[in-house]
Amino acid sequence: MSLMFPTAPASPSPRLRIATCSLAGCFGCHMSLLDIDETLADLVDLITFDRSPFTDVKALSEDGIDIGLIEGGLCNEENVEVLRAFRARCRVLVAVGACAMYGGVPALRNGIPVAELMQTAYLADGLHDPQLPRDPELPPLLDKVLPVHEVVPVDLTLPGCPPPADAFRALVLAEIARRTPDIATELPLHARRFD
Amino acid sequence: MNTQPHPAEAAAATFVLDGRSIPFTPGQTVMQAATAAGVYVPHLCHHAEFEPVGNCKVCSMQLDTSAGPRMVTACTLPAREGLVLHSETPAVQHDRQRLVQMLFVEGNHHCPFCEKSGACHLQAVAYHVGMVDTHFVHAYPPQSVDASHPDVWLDRNRCILCELCVRASREIDGKNVFAVGGRGAHTTLLVNSASGLLKDSAVAATDRALSICPVGALMPKRQGFAMPIGARPYDHADIAERPADT
Ligand code: SF4
Ligand code: SF4
Ligand code: FES
């Protein structure tokens, strides 16, 4: 099945507001978003970035966000706070990538009790000056790394580690056309993947 | 004039699957007859070489009965004249998607670094049924990995308890290395050795029990990632177009 991209958006204004954030992720999904390459240039007049690494804004605009892209799962209390604030402002919240979908690589720790992890990482024999980190800047860890959908409702998912650039492109172009993209059927097989 | 058809031309017994008439010979299951007719039915625990066990339920489809529709497993249902079955309807595909999602959340599937990715039947069936998320709350069950054997390893995080290795080890390898034991969420794949470890069992990397595992649970060592992304069986083909040897 080939993917059809609309040549002109149905509603060129107002600009689509996009926000992105990375929780317990590696920023690979953000890199994949940038990989839409020249499509990004075509979109310049149609979208505006709110909170994202492009802007370094911490709080989302009061006006509301059209698409919120969440990369990463939740591994600490700050992640939960950021995600809840993000959800409250976003019309469409998208869980992007394996970590946001099911915890991804960080969730490998889920079979091990946190106390045991802290012991091994910070207090094990042979470490120089073993001590638990206690800086107020460091948010406490959650028991388990959680996927986004276990904390807030999610509207759409882009699977992949990271999702391919085609998936981001399809999502943004569909939203510009005010159409909900059907990732499962609209994207070619190589663009919806779990790895 | 004799109006009786010649026995060889007599209409074969048939059932109806998604509106299509499927011929069968007595003794065949719905799965066997559908496969012979070139119709793909999603499945994980079924394999042509072994007696069906009906473990995974992924082949479930809707059977019309006088008492209303009923879900049945195609791999264990004997084909009968006049059966009316629905497999590729949105409702059945949706139920199947939920089953596959449960398999994902009841295990620990990290496809991004799994060696079986792209060649995995569970992953491929998930694509086929349009799964894009896991929907349920993840169980993250603590599971053990057995890397004790020099040539073979077992990652129970990925095991879907299909029992294909159990059947293959017993019937083809003649070794009886594997069994499924425990109950409910504690059901797990057991290794038949005094220590319970692969290194003390009769398993070998060339055993059919390994090559038949539909997921990345039983794998030969030192062969990981031999096939690059893009060249693996399900990178571009849906499992329906490229059914496994099962
Ligand atoms: S066994 Fe299949 S579904 Fe599980 S992690 Fe590996 S590729 Fe993914
Ligand atoms: S190890 Fe593989 S073949 Fe054996 S029961 Fe688990 S998934 Fe099936
Ligand atoms: S294939 Fe029929 S139950 Fe598994």
PDB file of all heavy atoms in Angstrom, chain B residues 154 158-165 189 209 212-215 217-218, ligand 2:
ATOM      1  N   LEU B 154      18.049 -19.491  26.070  1.00  0.00           N
ATOM      2  CA  LEU B 154      16.600 -19.430  26.263  1.00  0.00           C
ATOM      3  C   LEU B 154      16.270 -18.154  27.019  1.00  0.00           C
ATOM      4  O   LEU B 154      16.727 -17.956  28.135  1.00  0.00           O
ATOM      5  CB  LEU B 154      16.140 -20.654  27.076  1.00  0.00           C
ATOM      6  CG  LEU B 154      14.738 -20.609  27.683  1.00  0.00           C
ATOM      7  CD1 LEU B 154      13.671 -20.512  26.601  1.00  0.00           C
ATOM      8  CD2 LEU B 154      14.494 -21.845  28.543  1.00  0.00           C
ATOM      9  N   ARG B 158      10.590 -13.751  26.321  1.00  0.00           N
ATOM     10  CA  ARG B 158       9.979 -13.706  24.983  1.00  0.00           C
ATOM     11  C   ARG B 158       9.127 -14.927  24.689  1.00  0.00           C
ATOM     12  O   ARG B 158       8.525 -15.021  23.609  1.00  0.00           O
ATOM     13  CB  ARG B 158      11.085 -13.626  23.928  1.00  0.00           C
ATOM     14  CG  ARG B 158      11.974 -12.418  24.065  1.00  0.00           C
ATOM     15  CD  ARG B 158      13.181 -12.583  23.173  1.00  0.00           C
ATOM     16  NE  ARG B 158      14.102 -11.466  23.314  1.00  0.00           N
ATOM     17  CZ  ARG B 158      15.365 -11.509  22.901  1.00  0.00           C
ATOM     18  NH1 ARG B 158      15.828 -12.592  22.327  1.00  0.00           N
ATOM     19  NH2 ARG B 158      16.139 -10.474  23.060  1.00  0.00           N
ATOM     20  N   CYS B 159       9.117 -15.897  25.598  1.00  0.00           N
ATOM     21  CA  CYS B 159       8.402 -17.150  25.337  1.00  0.00           C
ATOM     22  C   CYS B 159       6.889 -16.923  25.397  1.00  0.00           C
ATOM     23  O   CYS B 159       6.387 -16.293  26.322  1.00  0.00           O
ATOM     24  CB  CYS B 159       8.824 -18.197  26.365  1.00  0.00           C
ATOM     25  SG  CYS B 159       7.892 -19.737  26.221  1.00  0.00           S
ATOM     26  N   ILE B 160       6.172 -17.416  24.411  1.00  0.00           N
ATOM     27  CA  ILE B 160       4.716 -17.265  24.396  1.00  0.00           C
ATOM     28  C   ILE B 160       4.024 -18.591  24.726  1.00  0.00           C
ATOM     29  O   ILE B 160       2.816 -18.725  24.531  1.00  0.00           O
ATOM     30  CB  ILE B 160       4.216 -16.697  23.048  1.00  0.00           C
ATOM     31  CG1 ILE B 160       4.708 -17.560  21.877  1.00  0.00           C
ATOM     32  CG2 ILE B 160       4.650 -15.247  22.876  1.00  0.00           C
ATOM     33  CD1 ILE B 160       4.036 -17.234  20.550  1.00  0.00           C
ATOM     34  N   LEU B 161       4.767 -19.563  25.187  1.00  0.00           N
ATOM     35  CA  LEU B 161       4.225 -20.847  25.659  1.00  0.00           C
ATOM     36  C   LEU B 161       3.400 -21.563  24.588  1.00  0.00           C
ATOM     37  O   LEU B 161       2.370 -22.164  24.872  1.00  0.00           O
ATOM     38  CB  LEU B 161       3.389 -20.623  26.935  1.00  0.00           C
ATOM     39  CG  LEU B 161       4.187 -20.029  28.099  1.00  0.00           C
ATOM     40  CD1 LEU B 161       3.261 -19.578  29.220  1.00  0.00           C
ATOM     41  CD2 LEU B 161       5.226 -21.008  28.619  1.00  0.00           C
ATOM     42  N   CYS B 162       3.899 -21.513  23.363  1.00  0.00           N
ATOM     43  CA  CYS B 162       3.173 -22.148  22.259  1.00  0.00           C
ATOM     44  C   CYS B 162       3.380 -23.659  22.247  1.00  0.00           C
ATOM     45  O   CYS B 162       2.651 -24.389  21.590  1.00  0.00           O
ATOM     46  CB  CYS B 162       3.637 -21.559  20.927  1.00  0.00           C
ATOM     47  SG  CYS B 162       5.356 -21.936  20.527  1.00  0.00           S
ATOM     48  N   GLU B 163       4.407 -24.115  22.951  1.00  0.00           N
ATOM     49  CA  GLU B 163       4.730 -25.548  23.029  1.00  0.00           C
ATOM     50  C   GLU B 163       5.244 -26.129  21.711  1.00  0.00           C
ATOM     51  O   GLU B 163       5.260 -27.353  21.552  1.00  0.00           O
ATOM     52  CB  GLU B 163       3.549 -26.371  23.557  1.00  0.00           C
ATOM     53  CG  GLU B 163       3.214 -26.053  25.006  1.00  0.00           C
ATOM     54  CD  GLU B 163       2.209 -27.018  25.600  1.00  0.00           C
ATOM     55  OE1 GLU B 163       1.983 -28.096  25.025  1.00  0.00           O
ATOM     56  OE2 GLU B 163       1.641 -26.689  26.657  1.00  0.00           O
ATOM     57  N   LEU B 164       5.654 -25.312  20.780  1.00  0.00           N
ATOM     58  CA  LEU B 164       6.216 -25.870  19.542  1.00  0.00           C
ATOM     59  C   LEU B 164       7.549 -26.558  19.824  1.00  0.00           C
ATOM     60  O   LEU B 164       7.844 -27.621  19.280  1.00  0.00           O
ATOM     61  CB  LEU B 164       6.377 -24.784  18.478  1.00  0.00           C
ATOM     62  CG  LEU B 164       5.100 -24.441  17.708  1.00  0.00           C
ATOM     63  CD1 LEU B 164       5.300 -23.212  16.840  1.00  0.00           C
ATOM     64  CD2 LEU B 164       4.644 -25.616  16.844  1.00  0.00           C
ATOM     65  N   CYS B 165       8.364 -25.964  20.706  1.00  0.00           N
ATOM     66  CA  CYS B 165       9.644 -26.606  21.035  1.00  0.00           C
ATOM     67  C   CYS B 165       9.410 -27.914  21.785  1.00  0.00           C
ATOM     68  O   CYS B 165      10.158 -28.880  21.614  1.00  0.00           O
ATOM     69  CB  CYS B 165      10.523 -25.666  21.857  1.00  0.00           C
ATOM     70  SG  CYS B 165       9.790 -25.158  23.425  1.00  0.00           S
ATOM     71  N   LEU B 189       8.336 -22.137  30.753  1.00  0.00           N
ATOM     72  CA  LEU B 189       8.962 -23.208  29.986  1.00  0.00           C
ATOM     73  C   LEU B 189      10.042 -23.864  30.842  1.00  0.00           C
ATOM     74  O   LEU B 189      10.940 -23.200  31.344  1.00  0.00           O
ATOM     75  CB  LEU B 189       9.577 -22.656  28.694  1.00  0.00           C
ATOM     76  CG  LEU B 189      10.067 -23.763  27.755  1.00  0.00           C
ATOM     77  CD1 LEU B 189       8.894 -24.492  27.121  1.00  0.00           C
ATOM     78  CD2 LEU B 189      10.991 -23.218  26.697  1.00  0.00           C
ATOM     79  N   ALA B 209      13.757 -27.999  17.643  1.00  0.00           N
ATOM     80  CA  ALA B 209      13.109 -27.244  18.725  1.00  0.00           C
ATOM     81  C   ALA B 209      13.518 -25.776  18.696  1.00  0.00           C
ATOM     82  O   ALA B 209      12.728 -24.904  19.054  1.00  0.00           O
ATOM     83  CB  ALA B 209      13.448 -27.864  20.078  1.00  0.00           C
ATOM     84  N   ILE B 212      12.208 -23.944  15.256  1.00  0.00           N
ATOM     85  CA  ILE B 212      10.754 -23.833  15.157  1.00  0.00           C
ATOM     86  C   ILE B 212      10.192 -22.744  16.070  1.00  0.00           C
ATOM     87  O   ILE B 212       9.057 -22.302  15.876  1.00  0.00           O
ATOM     88  CB  ILE B 212      10.092 -25.193  15.473  1.00  0.00           C
ATOM     89  CG1 ILE B 212       8.746 -25.283  14.761  1.00  0.00           C
ATOM     90  CG2 ILE B 212       9.920 -25.409  16.968  1.00  0.00           C
ATOM     91  CD1 ILE B 212       8.145 -26.661  14.784  1.00  0.00           C
ATOM     92  N   CYS B 213      10.964 -22.287  17.037  1.00  0.00           N
ATOM     93  CA  CYS B 213      10.452 -21.265  17.971  1.00  0.00           C
ATOM     94  C   CYS B 213      10.016 -20.034  17.171  1.00  0.00           C
ATOM     95  O   CYS B 213      10.819 -19.449  16.448  1.00  0.00           O
ATOM     96  CB  CYS B 213      11.522 -20.904  19.004  1.00  0.00           C
ATOM     97  SG  CYS B 213      10.977 -19.641  20.169  1.00  0.00           S
ATOM     98  N   PRO B 214       8.744 -19.655  17.295  1.00  0.00           N
ATOM     99  CA  PRO B 214       8.251 -18.563  16.436  1.00  0.00           C
ATOM    100  C   PRO B 214       8.738 -17.188  16.874  1.00  0.00           C
ATOM    101  O   PRO B 214       8.588 -16.212  16.141  1.00  0.00           O
ATOM    102  CB  PRO B 214       6.729 -18.666  16.591  1.00  0.00           C
ATOM    103  CG  PRO B 214       6.516 -19.311  17.921  1.00  0.00           C
ATOM    104  CD  PRO B 214       7.694 -20.223  18.158  1.00  0.00           C
ATOM    105  N   VAL B 215       9.283 -17.123  18.085  1.00  0.00           N
ATOM    106  CA  VAL B 215       9.744 -15.837  18.631  1.00  0.00           C
ATOM    107  C   VAL B 215      11.234 -15.964  18.968  1.00  0.00           C
ATOM    108  O   VAL B 215      11.869 -16.954  18.630  1.00  0.00           O
ATOM    109  CB  VAL B 215       8.906 -15.442  19.872  1.00  0.00           C
ATOM    110  CG1 VAL B 215       7.472 -15.142  19.484  1.00  0.00           C
ATOM    111  CG2 VAL B 215       8.948 -16.556  20.921  1.00  0.00           C
ATOM    112  N   ALA B 217      12.722 -16.640  21.711  1.00  0.00           N
ATOM    113  CA  ALA B 217      12.934 -17.235  23.035  1.00  0.00           C
ATOM    114  C   ALA B 217      14.051 -18.277  23.024  1.00  0.00           C
ATOM    115  O   ALA B 217      14.884 -18.317  23.923  1.00  0.00           O
ATOM    116  CB  ALA B 217      11.636 -17.844  23.547  1.00  0.00           C
ATOM    117  N   LEU B 218      14.043 -19.144  22.027  1.00  0.00           N
ATOM    118  CA  LEU B 218      15.090 -20.165  21.923  1.00  0.00           C
ATOM    119  C   LEU B 218      15.941 -19.822  20.714  1.00  0.00           C
ATOM    120  O   LEU B 218      15.447 -19.812  19.586  1.00  0.00           O
ATOM    121  CB  LEU B 218      14.455 -21.537  21.713  1.00  0.00           C
ATOM    122  CG  LEU B 218      14.161 -22.364  22.948  1.00  0.00           C
ATOM    123  CD1 LEU B 218      13.404 -23.619  22.550  1.00  0.00           C
ATOM    124  CD2 LEU B 218      15.434 -22.730  23.706  1.00  0.00           C
TER     125      LEU B 218
HETATM  126  S1  SF4 C   2      10.492 -21.343  23.720  1.00  0.00           S
HETATM  127 FE1  SF4 C   2       9.622 -20.734  21.757  1.00  0.00          FE
HETATM  128  S2  SF4 C   2       8.810 -22.621  20.886  1.00  0.00           S
HETATM  129 FE2  SF4 C   2       9.123 -22.997  23.056  1.00  0.00          FE
HETATM  130  S3  SF4 C   2       7.155 -22.574  24.038  1.00  0.00           S
HETATM  131 FE3  SF4 C   2       8.395 -20.697  24.146  1.00  0.00          FE
HETATM  132  S4  SF4 C   2       7.820 -19.540  22.333  1.00  0.00           S
HETATM  133 FE4  SF4 C   2       7.116 -21.641  21.989  1.00  0.00          FE
END
